[in-house]
Amino acid sequence: MGGFFGTISKTACATDLFYGTDYNSHLGTRRGGMVTLHDGTFKRAIHNLENSYFRLRFEADLDKFQGNSGIGIISDTDPQPIFISSHLGKYAVVTVAKVNNIDELEKELLDKGCHFSEFNAGQINQTELIALLISQANTFVEGIELVQEKIKGSCSMLILTEEGIIAARDKWGRTPVLIGKKDGAYAATSEPCSFPNLEYELEYNVGPGEVVMLTADSMTQLRKPNKKMQACSFLWVYYGYPVSDYEGINVDAVRYASGQAMAKKDDTEADYVAAIPDSGIGMGLGYAEGKGIPYRRAIIKYTPTWPRSFTPANQKVRDLVAKMKLIPNRELLRDKRVIFCDDSIVRGTQLNDNVNILYGYGAKEVHIRLGSPPILFSCPFLGFSASRSPLELIARRTVEELEGDHEKDLDKYATTDSPQYKNMIDCIRKKLNITTLKFITVEDLIASIGLPKECVCTYCYNGAKPEE
């Protein structure tokens, strides 16, 4: 996935840039980068984050970042920011993007006489490719529009120029871009949880395909938003931070409402509700209230050193993180019937380990409730998962086991309460040794988010794509 932060101020921006970028750290674990502009000169640093945290990597560099404007990135893809000197002027760019046709676009640009200087794991740097596409146009806005037209996937970006910071959201609004304001400064970010402690007030939600220019004391719209939107539902299910609002809708409120909606349909008897922390907590609290039974902390996350298990690229690392970061409370589990709420099942790695541990600590019954529908399709739009194949998804593997073909009757398996859907869920339940297993329905998730269904992307659940 990834997240960015940029700020432009009447005073030195390094501190805000440093902490604002750090507040995007839950969105990625691979690389971090920052760049500032001072007297026409860019100062950049990029560090590997796989064995450390952003703050630890960049703290020693902080004094080097002079200037009143800068952009930063937490990236799970390529090293960023990228510098470009072109007929548009000198600029730096960071992106939250997934470019599925990168080879095709590379050839197109090479045929035009462009060259690439940045490489990552033997491939060109996709942010450099995006920058080269921008530089093909006569203006930044035209260049951004060219990017949105050419790439298959999605791309939101920040561009640091000598005139200010340009913030652009991808054409379908799949990833968020929020604008904050305080006296003498503006900021743009993927994560509005970065604003409060830096004293920014949430000022504006950039629309799909919209482009704005920020200076220290102004925000100017350079391109109007598109009329259609497909905001990623997983913003509210998993990777959005609980205090954040997207499209004016709070993440934790959606998770709470999801838990309430599921509880009202659940006749399972249990002693209490618990959550798989952290992203299952809001749902768990809502579930407990909706069901009218206590909420208890039967599992505690060890927060000082362990990152999110969803993001590391290496499967062995994911398995280790999933096992080590959560500590059960034996006293609360012994001889109890417990409903556990979690955000989702993707591969089944973490949940499989957790369930076995819970029984080992004396739980009598383990009931799992998920805040997302079954994930049947790998996302072609965002890089929020390290999955490379649909068969890494436990739901898709189950379809293959049932049908002998992982692509057969997927529309039926994606239909709530169809015979195929029920059979798939029961097979997953048996595979993971769960007493009962229930997923929120697509319909209840959309209702909990509160946006019109045509404005929310549900592709990973049902393969639904909007009409262009």
Side-chain angles (χ1 to χ4, degrees):
M1 187 56 190
F4 52 54
F5 183 92
T7 183
I8 184 164
S9 173
K10 293 181 179 179
T11 58
C13 73
T15 299
D16 279 6
L17 179 63
F18 173 68
Y19 288 111
T21 304
D22 183 62
Y23 275 120
N24 287 266
S25 291
H26 60 286
L27 296 172
T29 60
R30 297 189 69 185
R31 295 178 181 87
M34 293 200 311
V35 58
T36 56
L37 177 61
H38 180 60
D39 290 339
T41 300
F42 291 95
K43 173 64 181 179
R44 177 181 72 166
I46 299 173
H47 290 299
N48 189 311
L49 305 181
E50 291 181 291
N51 298 309
S52 187
Y53 290 105
F54 178 86
R55 286 197 311 278
L56 295 177
R57 286 290 192 184
F58 282 85
E59 204 161 22
D61 295 325
L62 199 52
D63 292 340
K64 303 174 186 177
F65 288 102
Q66 297 180 310
N68 296 351
S69 62
I71 55 178
I73 183 78
I74 303 291
S75 174
D76 254 353
T77 54
D78 41 325
Q80 306 181 50
I82 293 295
F83 287 135
I84 292 289
S85 181
S86 76
H87 71 100
L88 297 175
K90 296 178 181 179
Y91 65 92
V93 59
V94 295
T95 67
V96 173
K98 184 173 184 179
V99 183
N100 297 311
N101 58 333
I102 192 167
D103 293 338
E104 171 192 326
L105 294 174
E106 176 188 10
K107 183 178 184 305
E108 180 181 319
L109 288 169
L110 289 174
D111 288 346
K112 289 183 177 180
C114 298
H115 70 275
F116 295 89
S117 60
E118 303 277 349
F119 286 84
N120 172 41
Q123 290 189 325
I124 63 168
N125 183 304
Q126 71 174 16
T127 299
E128 183 182 21
L129 180 141
I130 288 163
L132 291 177
L133 284 173
I134 292 170
S135 297
Q136 300 294 301
N138 294 319
T139 67
F140 280 112
V141 172
E142 289 179 7
I144 292 165
E145 289 177 330
L146 182 64
V147 170
Q148 305 295 9
E149 173 193 332
K150 290 279 189 181
I151 68 166
K152 295 177 181 177
S154 69
C155 177
S156 294
M157 68 185 84
L158 297 179
I159 304 173
L160 177 62
T161 75
E162 293 179 290
E163 286 72 41
I165 294 175
I166 298 172
R169 189 175 179 187
D170 72 273
K171 67 179 180 180
W172 285 101
R174 299 188 189 280
T175 52
V177 179
L178 292 306
I179 306 299
K181 180 184 179 182
K182 66 179 178 180
D183 187 32
Y186 272 88
T189 187
S190 305
E191 261 297 0
C193 70
S194 60
F195 288 153
N197 288 343
L198 298 176
E199 299 181 348
Y200 290 91
E201 293 289 335
L202 181 58
E203 178 81 1
Y204 189 67
N205 195 108
V206 178
E210 187 175 9
V211 182
V212 300
M213 166 73 85
L214 303 178
T215 66
D217 50 18
S218 70
M219 179 183 72
T220 304
Q221 185 185 69
L222 302 181
R223 184 188 188 277
K224 292 182 179 180
N226 299 329
K227 293 181 179 179
K228 295 181 179 180
M229 180 172 68
Q230 283 276 285
C232 176
S233 61
F234 244 57
L235 267 173
W236 292 278
V237 170
Y238 177 74
Y239 64 78
Y241 212 67
V243 300
S244 292
D245 293 357
Y246 311 107
E247 311 305 327
I249 298 169
N250 179 258
V251 171
D252 201 61
V254 169
R255 295 174 184 172
Y256 193 88
S258 296
Q260 285 186 310
M262 288 193 73
K264 290 174 182 177
K265 298 179 179 180
D266 193 351
D267 58 3
T268 302
E269 293 186 1
D271 296 303
Y272 62 84
V273 176
I276 308 294
D278 285 326
S279 46
I281 293 174
M283 180 189 172
L285 290 167
Y287 214 102
E289 178 169 309
K291 197 157 179 62
I293 60 176
Y295 175 88
R296 303 296 299 274
R297 299 174 70 195
I299 297 178
I300 302 295
K301 180 181 176 183
Y302 189 77
T303 57
T305 57
W306 291 103
R308 307 184 93 176
S309 60
F310 196 73
T311 45
N314 183 283
Q315 180 66 52
K316 290 183 178 178
V317 176
R318 288 197 298 268
D319 291 346
L320 178 64
V321 172
K323 178 182 179 181
M324 299 299 291
K325 72 176 184 176
L326 300 178
I327 304 174
N329 188 330
R330 187 187 299 272
E331 178 64 25
L332 293 182
L333 289 167
R334 188 183 294 116
D335 297 325
K336 297 299 182 182
R337 304 164 301 168
V338 188
I339 293 175
F340 285 95
C341 293
D342 202 359
D343 55 86
S344 60
I345 300 179
V346 181
R347 302 172 190 87
T349 301
Q350 179 173 338
L351 190 58
N352 185 55
D353 284 343
N354 289 341
V355 169
N356 291 332
I357 290 171
L358 294 172
Y359 285 125
Y361 274 69
K364 188 193 314 185
E365 295 178 3
V366 176
H367 306 271
I368 301 294
R369 303 294 181 260
L370 283 311
S372 95
I375 298 174
L376 281 161
F377 299 86
S378 297
C379 180
F381 309 117
L382 306 179
F384 72 80
S385 165
S387 295
R388 298 290 180 263
S389 163
L391 287 174
E392 291 186 41
L393 306 172
I394 192 170
R396 187 64 80 87
R397 292 199 307 272
T398 303
V399 172
E400 183 174 62
E401 291 165 9
L402 292 170
E403 301 287 353
D405 179 355
H406 72 89
E407 295 184 343
K408 185 177 180 181
D409 291 337
L410 290 179
D411 58 333
K412 296 176 181 177
Y413 282 98
T415 301
T416 301
D417 290 334
S418 69
Q420 291 85 352
Y421 175 95
K422 291 179 179 178
N423 195 17
M424 176 181 66
I425 302 307
D426 195 51
C427 287
I428 295 173
R429 179 194 67 78
K430 292 175 181 176
K431 190 180 301 185
L432 298 179
N433 193 28
I434 298 167
T435 310
T436 66
L437 172 64
K438 294 183 180 181
F439 293 76
I440 196 170
T441 66
V442 173
E443 297 80 9
D444 282 346
L445 176 58
I446 296 299
S448 297
I449 293 171
L451 290 173
K453 64 180 180 180
E454 64 270 17
C455 294
V456 181
C457 182
T458 59
Y459 179 88
C460 55
Y461 318 129
N462 53 22
K465 290 183 178 181
E467 293 183 7
E468 293 286 346

